Amino acid sequence: MNPLVESFFDSETSTVSHIVHTGAGSDAAIVDSVLDFDPKSGRTSRESADRLVDFIAREKLTVVWHLETHVHADHLSAAPYLKNKLGGKIGIGAGIVEVQETFGKVFNFGLDVSGTGAEFDELFADGATFRIGPLEGRVLHVPGHTPADVAYVIGDAAFIGDTLFAPDLGTARADFPGGDAHTLYRSARRILTLPGETRLFLCHDYPPEGRDVVMHTTVAEQCAKNKHLADGIGEDTFVEMREARDKTLALPTLMLPSVQVNMRAGQLPPKEENGVAYIKIPLDLM
């Protein structure tokens, strides 16, 4: 059985969230949800997440999973908010343990983060399977962008996070801690060995002027047209391009807030004695 997919684009972070289901009244999964965050004021809000809630209510869906493709560096996850409202379990790739170790040191978290991924309900190993009602999902470990990246293959659909973008944009960067361009190439090629008609649902799109937002492509389209990874582009050529390009890129605007929240499964930092939660910003480190 192939899934139905409803996709939502958040223009503030250029993030695409997806709801996977089989029709009205069925079980469902939410992939890569967004918690609204204003970096200028530090205020959070939930308009983006509530769009998903409204769709789920209209379709009378039962949420069984909140799936994260990786620890996002460009938006905060709304998974805890949605879990509280809708139920379901939060899952991520088992590589979260490495991310927690690496960024736990960056933020000097100590015991504030488990280091074992215990903040999540499920840590998926490569090849793990899970169910969304009659649908079976399969997990592909696709590191390179980060150590924890996974793709979720569900019927003729795959939710691929940041590994690949729309064909005219190419691929994600590989210069974050734990990232690697060689590994990213091999992970992307692994995704591109899926059947050509497989729908690839993206986590982001940054459309150039004059182009509509792209929220999914196919394996065949990526193999034919991806500017960084089309068939015939070898690993050495890709790595040379990717590493040179990454040296020109600034850190994402929301990287420091996002990573420290998302490595906690989307939980905001605990409130201090004055009742206020605080984001940590390391100075002169990154």
Side-chain angles (χ1 to χ4, degrees):
M1 177 177 287
N2 294 323
L4 301 174
V5 181
E6 189 74 16
S7 299
F8 300 79
F9 183 70
D10 174 55
S11 59
E12 289 298 317
T13 62
S14 298
T15 302
V16 189
S17 302
H18 308 283
I19 298 175
V20 187
H21 63 108
T22 56
S26 67
D27 286 352
I30 298 172
V31 183
D32 292 336
S33 60
V34 174
L35 179 73
D36 300 306
F37 176 72
D38 177 8
K40 295 179 181 178
S41 66
R43 299 198 70 87
T44 61
S45 57
R46 291 153 184 82
E47 288 86 353
S48 295
D50 284 338
R51 292 168 61 202
L52 279 61
V53 172
D54 291 344
F55 177 83
I56 286 162
R58 286 198 307 272
E59 296 298 312
K60 298 181 171 56
L61 303 178
T62 299
V63 174
V64 295
W65 286 106
H66 304 271
L67 301 174
E68 301 288 354
T69 55
H70 61 294
V71 174
H72 307 280
D74 35 38
H75 70 273
L76 279 64
S77 170
Y81 169 73
L82 292 168
K83 177 182 176 179
N84 184 59
K85 288 188 73 72
L86 303 170
K89 298 192 294 184
I90 303 175
I92 198 169
I96 182 61
V97 175
E98 183 177 345
V99 174
Q100 287 186 338
E101 179 180 0
T102 299
F103 278 96
K105 295 174 183 176
V106 168
F107 294 111
N108 197 31
F109 276 156
L111 297 178
D112 288 345
V113 171
S114 69
T116 65
E119 294 83 356
F120 296 82
D121 299 308
E122 189 77 31
L123 305 186
F124 293 113
D126 185 44
T129 59
F130 59 93
R131 298 205 69 83
I132 307 167
L135 299 169
E136 180 175 87
R138 176 168 58 97
V139 179
L140 300 182
H141 184 212
V142 288
H145 176 57
T146 82
D149 280 66
V150 293
Y152 299 104
V153 181
I154 305 167
D156 72 340
F159 300 84
I160 60 173
D162 287 5
T163 302
L164 292 165
F165 294 150
D168 59 338
L169 297 181
T171 59
R173 63 197 296 167
D175 61 334
F176 293 157
D180 178 75
H182 287 281
T183 304
L184 178 63
Y185 178 88
R186 296 165 194 166
S187 292
R189 297 308 310 178
R190 186 182 189 194
I191 290 171
L192 296 180
T193 62
L194 295 169
E197 65 274 15
T198 303
R199 296 175 290 162
L200 301 180
F201 286 88
L202 309 177
C203 184
H204 293 285
D205 190 38
Y206 307 94
E209 186 175 354
R211 173 167 77 65
D212 292 336
V213 172
V214 171
M215 294 190 278
H216 73 273
T217 66
T218 66
V219 167
E221 184 180 12
Q222 293 282 12
C223 287
K225 299 179 180 179
N226 187 284
K227 66 184 290 185
H228 297 162
L229 270 172
D231 288 346
I233 298 176
E235 182 171 338
D236 290 344
T237 300
F238 172 82
V239 169
E240 182 179 5
M241 175 283 304
R242 187 69 267 167
E243 291 182 345
R245 176 164 172 72
D246 288 350
K247 290 177 182 177
T248 71
L249 300 177
L251 287 180
T253 300
L254 295 184
M255 179 174 178
L256 295 175
S258 296
V259 170
Q260 62 188 282
V261 168
N262 295 337
M263 65 192 284
R264 291 181 166 110
Q267 294 287 351
L268 297 176
K271 293 181 179 179
E272 300 189 10
E273 66 277 0
N274 63 352
V276 178
Y278 292 87
I279 293 287
K280 298 180 73 171
I281 304 296
L283 300 179
D284 303 321
L285 178 62
M286 300 298 292

